[in-house]
Amino acid sequence: MLDIKKIREEYDKVKERTEFRGKGDFDLPEIRSCDEERREILASVEAKRNRQNTVSREIPKMKKAGEDASQVLAEMKRLSNDIKEEEAELQRVEDRLHDLLLRIPNLVDESVPFGKDDSENVEKRKFMEPTKFDFEPKAHWDLGTDLDILDFDRAAKLAGTRFTVYKGMGARLERALVNFMLDVHCYEQGYKEIIPPVLANRQTMTGTSQLPKFEYDMFYLPQKDFFLIPTAEVPLTNLHAGEILSEEDLPKYYTAYTPCFRAEAGSAGRDTRGIIRQHEFNKVEMVKVVKPEDSWNELEKLTDNAEEILRRLGLPYHVVTLCSGDIGFGSAKTYDIEVWMPSYNRYVEISSCSNMTDFQARRMNMRFRRKEGGKPEFVHTLNGSGLAAGRTTAAVLENYQQKDGSVVIPEVLRPYMGGAEVIRPED
């Protein structure tokens, strides 16, 4: 959520930075109008309260002096009724203003390149060259079926399209990846592991800006007004919602493995085969809660933490800076890490690392107080996939496949897979 004071005092700059995204009508004129109306009503209420306080002090004096206070009492009654009416109107306007502010995206950082869509994202760096084969490589959905480790037909029978049943070495491979990722993040990179709920209430979903804008992309449980989380970013970032942390508490690094759930309402026809775009998928998430002055350096470190997983797996990837037309609603700047997928003959997103600045912290009222005192300040929050496990499984299958249809297990995963080196059909 943006600071209304910033919108009020830097309206033209805020308008320019939101329009820089190149899409959407962000209702900034209505926000300014609502803010002006709120301030006018508030000024009127405060003036009437001051009058009420002044007059109420005179009434006992008038009665003591034997004066007729009936007109003054009648005025007090009118003032009281007027205040109640204006306070009700003030609440209505404030609710409307709050709802409008929830629908305004974060301001894009000045370092973000301008562009209309993902075709104009800018490559920042690359690791390894795309995998080359001396045979016709298979797509991961064919490999998984031939190896009898991925079962899409039975998943469709159980739940429908965009679900997968992992079997045998397929299940073991995905579990190995999750454990490997968590071990690196926790034991080497300083993250604290969390096992959070995978259900979140409306307030929690609003705090990380999934609501109200993306409600139709969520799986909803109406009987409890709960949502299945689309990412562990939601519970991890909200762990300290409504709290005032001390400066000594920061930074906080959290990581979690969770299943994630997305309706994918706007992705009809995209990546329908395989395990790239699923309604339910496994992911390891990283979240940081930091001081404002540290957040840009922390974004670089966060991205490197995610890249380290791919480097150790020996998977080709590159990092791109998302342009203004592709960046997420709550992000000030995002790096996407994209892994090479031979079946697509292109890079595919496997992690998205973002600095949300104070955008989420304002929505969930998460602040900290400095050692030297002063007023509490909003923290900055960051998040990144470390990594999407299903997509990593797909990338391992495709990049490590052999001519005979088997798949070599990356060396770093073998201790997690009982020492197995290759996945073969008979496994």
Side-chain angles (χ1 to χ4, degrees):
M1 179 184 291
L2 299 185
D3 183 0
I4 185 60
K5 185 177 179 182
K6 186 177 185 69
I7 296 175
R8 186 187 306 141
E9 296 177 355
E10 303 177 41
Y11 182 81
D12 290 339
K13 181 179 180 181
V14 171
K15 186 172 184 291
E16 174 199 342
R17 296 315 295 171
T18 51
E19 289 177 348
F20 185 66
R21 288 174 171 268
K23 52 190 175 185
D25 178 9
F26 301 119
D27 290 327
L28 282 172
E30 188 171 354
I31 286 176
R32 182 159 64 174
S33 175
C34 262
D35 182 46
E36 290 172 353
E37 185 179 1
R38 183 188 69 85
R39 295 169 74 195
E40 287 174 4
I41 297 172
L42 188 59
S44 176
V45 168
E46 289 176 349
K48 286 181 171 66
R49 281 181 182 150
N50 287 335
R51 172 63 180 165
Q52 198 177 42
N53 292 335
T54 300
V55 173
S56 65
R57 288 193 292 269
E58 297 300 319
I59 292 174
K61 297 177 184 177
M62 293 176 69
K63 288 183 176 180
K64 189 175 182 179
E67 298 176 14
D68 182 9
S70 58
Q71 289 186 349
V72 176
L73 289 169
E75 180 189 357
M76 291 290 285
K77 186 174 182 180
R78 287 195 302 273
L79 278 173
S80 180
N81 289 335
D82 288 348
I83 289 171
K84 285 180 182 178
E85 289 178 5
E86 289 188 355
E87 283 180 334
E89 180 64 11
L90 180 63
Q91 187 62 57
R92 185 194 66 78
V93 173
E94 286 181 339
D95 288 346
R96 174 61 177 156
L97 179 60
H98 182 72
D99 182 66
L100 288 167
L101 287 170
L102 288 176
R103 298 172 190 276
I104 301 295
N106 200 358
L107 298 184
V108 178
D109 187 67
E110 299 284 350
S111 64
V112 171
F114 177 77
K116 63 181 183 300
D117 55 36
D118 60 2
S119 67
E120 298 188 71
N121 293 338
V122 178
E123 184 177 80
K124 184 177 176 68
R125 57 181 169 269
K126 183 165 68 171
F127 176 77
M128 299 177 58
E129 290 299 318
T131 308
K132 302 293 184 185
F133 299 94
D134 59 4
F135 58 91
E136 186 66 30
K138 296 179 182 179
H140 69 272
W141 51 86
D142 290 327
L143 280 163
T145 301
D146 293 345
L147 290 167
D148 195 29
I149 60 174
L150 300 177
D151 195 327
F152 303 105
D153 292 336
R154 286 188 173 88
K157 179 174 67 175
L158 295 173
T161 58
R162 297 199 175 184
F163 291 91
T164 304
V165 169
Y166 289 77
K167 300 162 64 177
M169 291 295 278
R172 195 165 187 180
L173 174 61
E174 182 125 343
R175 179 161 54 90
L177 282 165
V178 167
N179 286 332
F180 166 64
M181 294 171 189
L182 288 173
D183 283 352
V184 173
H185 296 323
C186 294
Y187 303 135
E188 300 182 32
Q189 297 172 345
Y191 291 82
K192 177 181 285 188
E193 185 177 359
I194 303 292
I195 300 178
V198 297
L199 292 172
N201 60 33
R202 188 171 291 273
Q203 181 178 348
T204 298
M205 294 287 283
T206 301
T208 41
S209 71
Q210 275 73 29
L211 299 183
K213 183 175 175 62
F214 302 106
E215 183 160 353
Y216 293 108
D217 289 328
M218 305 298 127
F219 283 108
Y220 179 55
L221 284 72
Q223 63 269 40
K224 288 287 189 180
D225 197 27
F226 285 165
F227 296 83
L228 287 166
I229 62 168
T231 165
E233 170 202 343
V234 175
L236 291 182
T237 311
N238 276 279
L239 282 173
H240 299 286
E243 296 180 19
I244 299 177
L245 304 169
S246 65
E247 186 174 6
E248 293 87 346
D249 291 330
L250 301 176
K252 287 188 176 295
Y253 295 174
Y254 293 122
T255 187
Y257 152 71
T258 64
C260 304
F261 306 87
R262 297 183 188 177
E264 297 286 359
S267 62
R270 295 178 58 195
D271 304 330
T272 54
R273 299 193 70 184
I275 55 178
I276 295 299
R277 193 175 296 276
Q278 300 269 278
H279 289 311
E280 178 184 351
F281 58 95
N282 298 311
K283 184 156 71 78
V284 173
E285 185 74 5
M286 304 175 293
V287 161
K288 294 186 173 188
V289 179
V290 305
K291 293 187 291 186
E293 62 267 27
D294 297 334
S295 67
W296 293 111
N297 183 51
E298 292 284 4
L299 175 61
E300 302 300 324
K301 290 167 60 179
L302 177 77
T303 307
D304 185 70
N305 293 160
E307 288 180 68
E308 181 63 17
I309 303 299
L310 290 172
R311 288 195 291 263
R312 295 197 191 184
L313 289 170
L315 291 171
Y317 72 87
H318 73 168
V319 179
V320 297
T321 305
L322 296 196
C323 71
S324 59
D326 193 35
I327 195 169
F329 178 81
S331 177
K333 185 174 184 176
T334 296
Y335 296 126
D336 268 9
I337 304 171
E338 299 179 335
V339 70
W340 180 255
M341 293 293 293
S343 65
Y344 291 84
N345 196 35
R346 62 175 171 85
Y347 292 100
V348 173
E349 179 202 332
I350 200 166
S351 174
S352 194
C353 299
S354 301
N355 185 358
M356 316 300 272
T357 58
D358 64 356
F359 186 78
Q360 293 177 327
R362 287 183 180 277
R363 296 168 82 100
M364 61 183 69
N365 195 28
M366 180 165 43
R367 296 171 291 167
F368 79 104
R369 195 187 301 275
R370 296 187 184 272
K371 296 176 187 175
E372 60 270 21
K375 294 175 64 175
E377 303 172 40
F378 288 104
V379 298
H380 280 196
T381 59
L382 302 93
N383 63 77
S385 307
L387 305 160
R391 293 189 176 196
T392 311
T393 293
V396 167
L397 293 177
E398 292 200 7
N399 285 279
Y400 277 91
Q401 63 181 294
Q402 300 186 102
K403 190 173 184 178
D404 64 359
S406 64
V407 174
V408 175
I409 298 169
E411 199 168 324
V412 293
L413 297 181
R414 293 173 189 174
Y416 298 90
M417 298 189 69
E421 298 181 2
V422 181
I423 301 174
R424 294 186 172 87
E426 63 267 23
D427 295 334

